[in-house]
Amino acid sequence: MSLSIRNQIPGTVLSVTAGEAMASVKVRLAGGQDITAAITTDAVKDLGLTEGSAVTALVKSTEVSLATGPVEGISIRNQLAGTVTDVSTGGAMGAVNVAVEGGGLTAAITKDAVEDLGLASGTAVVALIKSTEISLAAA
């Protein structure tokens, strides 16, 4: 299956904490960084996810925010350190490619944000992703 989601990073399930409807799945990405995905308990069962399961984390580029350093006092726990590798902008929007350990991410952000943050190739950034915006695919 081909997907339009370009942000696809392989990883391994560290733990699954299931509630009645939703589950919190901790994943160690190929580069060693940990993320948390909030998915339905039905999805956990359907995918057969358990500790040690190989998965691919999927994130739409519109769901990746960027900061120029770690952010405290925020509910977003997924903060992946990386380096900008490419920036392209149009009239209103920009696409920022970020190398993170074990893979890469693309963030679709406004052109104003690109300019205000001074993003260019080589800029150190932190990619912020809400756990509810991470999907998992069984590898």
Side-chain angles (χ1 to χ4, degrees):
M1 171 190 317
S2 295
L3 298 173
S4 63
I5 298 175
R6 294 291 171 238
N7 295 324
Q8 301 181 25
I9 303 176
T12 303
V13 173
L14 294 176
S15 66
V16 178
T17 305
E20 284 196 35
M22 297 293 292
S24 176
V25 182
K26 291 191 180 190
V27 175
R28 169 126 331 128
L29 299 177
Q33 299 188 65
D34 295 344
I35 61 166
T36 299
I39 63 175
T40 66
T41 53
D42 286 343
V44 169
K45 291 175 189 170
D46 291 347
L47 295 171
L49 298 182
T50 60
E51 184 178 328
S53 295
V55 294
T56 300
L58 307 163
V59 184
K60 290 175 60 175
S61 60
T62 53
E63 301 304 332
V64 178
S65 297
L66 297 176
T68 54
V71 181
E72 294 190 27
I74 190 169
S75 64
I76 299 173
R77 296 294 179 237
N78 295 314
Q79 298 192 27
L80 303 174
T83 303
V84 173
T85 58
D86 186 53
V87 177
S88 59
T89 57
M93 296 296 293
V96 181
N97 295 328
V98 178
V100 297
E101 292 293 327
L105 293 170
T106 298
I109 61 176
T110 65
K111 179 181 176 184
D112 289 344
V114 170
E115 293 170 356
D116 289 348
L117 294 173
L119 300 179
S121 186
T123 304
V125 294
V126 176
L128 307 164
I129 310 165
K130 290 178 64 174
S131 61
T132 53
E133 301 306 327
I134 297 176
S135 296
L136 298 176

